[in-house]
Amino acid sequence: MPIHDWTRVDAGIFHHFHVMWAIALADKFNQGSLPHAHYALLERAAVEAHAYPGQHSVAIHHESDSRTLAVLEIVSPKQKSDPRRFRAFCDGAAKLIRAGVHLLIVDLLPPGQLDPFGFHQMIWQSLVEDGNSIAQANRRHSLAAYVGGPMPQAFCEQAQVGARLPEMPLFLSSDTYISVPLEETYTSAFTRVPLFWRKVLDSPPGSS
């Protein structure tokens, strides 16, 4: 299913879809996508504990303890429009990554005044000091998978309206990851959006 233009509906409609997508992802993880002894939870507490202002994040845990291994975050309109929340999001993401938690950020919203190059640029500038590395971040990336730890790595892709979502890695350790079925779960979540708003989003531009 092609990515929709979510600027055509208000933030409340996207919020509903956001929650449905996060649930679909957590369900997929818990139905066999994760390695043995790992599980996924839809939660806020795990990310807030790291001063990371997540909203319906999907957190991955191991049965041996309650430590958060990885987090999947879907960016919301508020995180892109409120300067304080935007800065807190970027700073918190960098803090989470430096603490060794692996992170996947999915941003389907267009760049704005606060993020002309997307979230990845701001997060990466907080993580590295090398000028060449920062220059590489000055490109529009809307999907970014981070390997957490003292030597962070980032794997980025672009997602555009009208295109299909690629699979992205979600790292569980520095050398272990799962492929996240973004396209499959996006499609599943979209069917749970009220029919009226699905028709608005599916209609040709200019007709809504």
Side-chain angles (χ1 to χ4, degrees), residues 15-149:
H15 174 74
H16 176 86
F17 168 74
H18 184 166
V19 174
M20 296 299 102
W21 196 9
I23 291 172
L25 285 160
D27 285 347
K28 190 69 176 179
F29 291 152
N30 288 327
Q31 290 167 3
S33 295
L34 290 172
H36 174 69
H38 291 73
Y39 61 92
L41 292 178
L42 183 68
E43 57 188 39
R44 297 173 62 121
V47 289
E48 288 174 350
H50 294 277
Y52 181 69
Q55 174 176 291
H56 304 296
S57 305
V58 181
I60 309 299
H61 302 271
H62 193 275
E63 293 176 1
S64 61
D65 55 32
S66 59
R67 181 170 55 93
T68 302
L69 299 176
V71 171
L72 188 156
E73 175 75 10
I74 302 168
V75 175
S76 72
K78 288 183 179 179
Q79 289 165 329
K80 294 174 71 76
S81 61
D82 184 309
R84 292 178 61 185
R85 188 163 187 176
F86 173 79
R87 184 69 263 177
F89 182 97
C90 295
D91 290 345
K95 182 177 180 180
L96 199 70
I97 294 164
R98 283 195 295 267
V101 178
H102 312 294
L103 180 63
L104 173 58
I105 292 181
V106 178
D107 179 10
L108 301 187
L109 304 169
Q113 291 184 341
L114 298 176
D115 69 328
F117 293 103
F119 276 103
H120 173 63
Q121 181 199 46
M122 301 299 296
I123 294 170
W124 198 244
Q125 286 180 352
S126 297
L127 289 170
V128 302
E129 299 179 356
D130 182 276
N132 291 329
S133 295
I134 292 175
Q136 292 298 313
N138 293 339
R139 303 173 181 173
R140 171 64 182 160
H141 294 297
S142 48
L143 306 172
Y146 299 91
V147 179

